[in-house]
Amino acid sequence: MSVRRGPRLPLEELQPYLLEAPPSPPEGPLVALDWSALFGNTNPVEIEVGFGKGLFLLNASAARPDVNFVGIEIVRKYQLFTATRLAKRARRNVRVACADARILLRDHAPSESVRAVHVYFPDPWWKKRHHKRRVFTDEFAVQCARVLAPGGHLHVATDVEDYAQMVREVVAAHASLRELPAPEEKGPENDLDYLTNFERKFRAQGKPIYRLLYERL
């Protein structure tokens, strides 16, 4: 996937948008992130896991300026690409981290501290020997339930029916997460009116999108 779309800004201009994840043991002690210190306010926090080119973060941060968004992406070039898009629009209610979301949530996200977790079009890792690389595992579901405040929501979207069924089976094992009716699919009003670039591509191809919504009890 190419990310060539305009020049990247100097790193010093991107710094306010970059979240450096604390080291995890054995490299260092466990350090919990302080959302209010990170953003300078006490607004609610939502996390996106695997933000790619950052379309959801761009749209959501503009639509809800009273919410703080944290994006976690394991690929460094996407972190810098998205930070550039955010900096050009001065979206100061977003921070983006280059990290393994499973580790960042487990080791650094405080319990019951976020209002929503968004997981959109995760890599299905088709081959059985690669399933261990999938972001959505039983442990990941445990951490989502832990970091969500009561009444918070877990949002999932995928174009892979088997992956959606796997998520259902994994989450069903956790009594603290209750499945809600999936949100209705709406027609886009413009070319950027999608959750992610993947959704735009898949819907243009006529592929079905499987959407899941859970509430933290």
Side-chain angles (χ1 to χ4, degrees):
M1 183 189 305
S2 173
V3 295
R4 295 179 181 177
R5 189 178 297 173
R8 202 182 79 199
L9 296 176
L11 190 59
E12 57 268 22
E13 294 186 39
L14 302 183
Q15 207 62 49
Y17 303 89
L18 303 179
L19 168 59
E20 299 300 326
S24 291
E27 289 78 11
L30 283 176
V31 177
L33 290 165
D34 184 333
W35 305 130
S36 59
L38 180 65
F39 289 98
N41 59 57
T42 58
N43 291 343
V45 174
E46 299 191 12
I47 293 176
E48 183 186 14
V49 173
F51 55 79
K53 293 183 178 180
L55 184 58
F56 169 77
L57 294 175
L58 287 170
N59 289 339
S61 62
R64 294 181 283 157
D66 57 342
V67 176
N68 295 325
F69 293 91
V70 175
I72 309 172
E73 172 59 61
I74 203 165
V75 181
R76 171 71 167 174
K77 67 179 179 180
Y78 292 146
Q79 180 200 27
L80 298 178
F81 177 80
T82 298
T84 297
R85 300 180 79 181
L86 295 168
K88 288 179 177 179
R89 296 162 176 82
R91 299 287 169 74
R92 298 304 293 269
N93 60 326
V94 188
R95 301 291 184 274
V96 288
C98 180
D100 186 326
R102 297 169 297 182
I103 295 174
L104 193 150
L105 290 182
R106 183 193 69 197
D107 293 350
H108 308 298
S111 297
E112 299 187 355
S113 67
V114 303
R115 189 170 71 176
V117 175
H118 304 264
V119 187
Y120 298 134
F121 304 96
D123 192 328
W125 289 106
W126 295 103
K127 295 180 180 179
K128 188 173 183 180
R129 67 176 182 270
H130 293 157
H131 285 185
K132 63 184 178 181
R133 299 184 184 180
R134 289 177 169 178
V135 67
F136 221 107
T137 62
D138 182 71
E139 172 61 18
F140 181 75
V142 167
Q143 295 306 324
C144 287
R146 182 185 64 81
V147 303
L148 283 170
H153 293 100
L154 169 62
H155 303 259
V156 183
T158 177
D159 64 306
V160 181
E161 185 175 12
D162 288 348
Y163 200 102
Q165 183 58 34
M166 180 272 291
V167 171
R168 280 197 175 94
E169 292 171 359
V170 168
V171 178
H174 300 278
S176 59
L177 291 171
R178 174 180 64 183
E179 187 169 4
L180 300 178
E184 293 184 5
E185 189 172 279
K186 67 181 184 69
E189 297 180 2
N190 56 68
D191 193 47
L192 296 179
D193 193 15
Y194 294 90
L195 282 175
T196 71
N197 291 79
F198 278 118
E199 182 189 17
R200 181 169 55 201
K201 181 180 74 171
F202 296 144
R203 288 178 66 176
Q205 295 172 350
K207 298 180 68 173
I209 305 298
Y210 304 94
R211 304 175 194 276
L212 304 170
L213 177 62
Y214 296 92
E215 181 182 39
R216 173 69 161 85
L217 302 177

